[in-house]
């Protein structure tokens, strides 16, 4: 079983930046596609960004395109989410997820396609 632990959340003013990290342990992280999702209070969890096993393919939700960047460092078993130009509507719990497809060249945007999830980290953007 892969363990995923997110960090880097916090309180930031609108227009600010945060970098989230998701550190994996327990299985071969570097062969799995990964994703970031978020859930705001009273709302469904939604897709934010995803990345294939090598980092060469990424996808973003329209709401974050141009502001957020997903990346990974397989040597460090870590996937990142750099968030710039943050808005109050970005406030949510952000979770990373792993898809158990080794050397998966595809990316996955649906929550149900992922096999393992972290506990999440809170991001709060004040206006």
């Amino acid at each position: 079983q892969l363990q995923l632990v997110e960090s880097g959340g916090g309180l930031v003013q609108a227009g600010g930046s945060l970098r989230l990290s998701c550190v994996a342990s327990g299985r071969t992280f570097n062969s799995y596609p990964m994703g970031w999702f978020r859930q705001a209070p009273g709302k469904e969890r939604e897709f934010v960004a995803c990345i294939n096993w090598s980092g060469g393919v990424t996808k973003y939700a329209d709401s974050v395109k141009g502001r957020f960047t997903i990346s990974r460092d397989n040597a460090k078993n870590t996937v990142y989410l750099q968030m710039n130009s943050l808005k109050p509507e970005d406030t949510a719990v952000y979770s990373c997820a792993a898809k158990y497809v080794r050397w998966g060249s595809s990316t996955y945007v649906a929550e149900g396609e992922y096999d393992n999830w972290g506990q999440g980290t809170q991001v709060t953007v004040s206006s």
Side-chain angles (χ1 to χ4, degrees), residues 27-80:
R27 287 184 71 162
T28 307
F29 162 84
N30 60 8
S31 61
Y32 297 139
M34 300 289 293
W36 282 99
F37 290 75
R38 66 186 182 187
Q39 187 167 22
K43 294 187 177 181
E44 298 291 317
R45 186 156 54 186
E46 65 175 1
F47 167 74
V48 175
C50 58
I51 190 166
N52 77 330
W53 75 272
S54 68
V57 181
T58 58
K59 286 184 182 177
Y60 298 91
D62 287 343
S63 60
V64 307
K65 202 171 293 183
R67 300 188 299 122
F68 290 11
T69 302
I70 188 171
S71 62
R72 66 191 298 161
D73 185 340
N74 286 339
K76 295 183 178 179
N77 287 351
T78 303
V79 62
Y80 303 98

Side-chain angles (χ1 to χ4, degrees), residues 4 6 22 33-37 95-99 114-118:
L4 303 173
E6 301 94 337
C22 171
M34 300 289 293
W36 282 99
F37 290 75
S95 300
C96 65
K99 168 73 174 175
Y114 286 85
D115 300 295
N116 198 11
W117 294 80

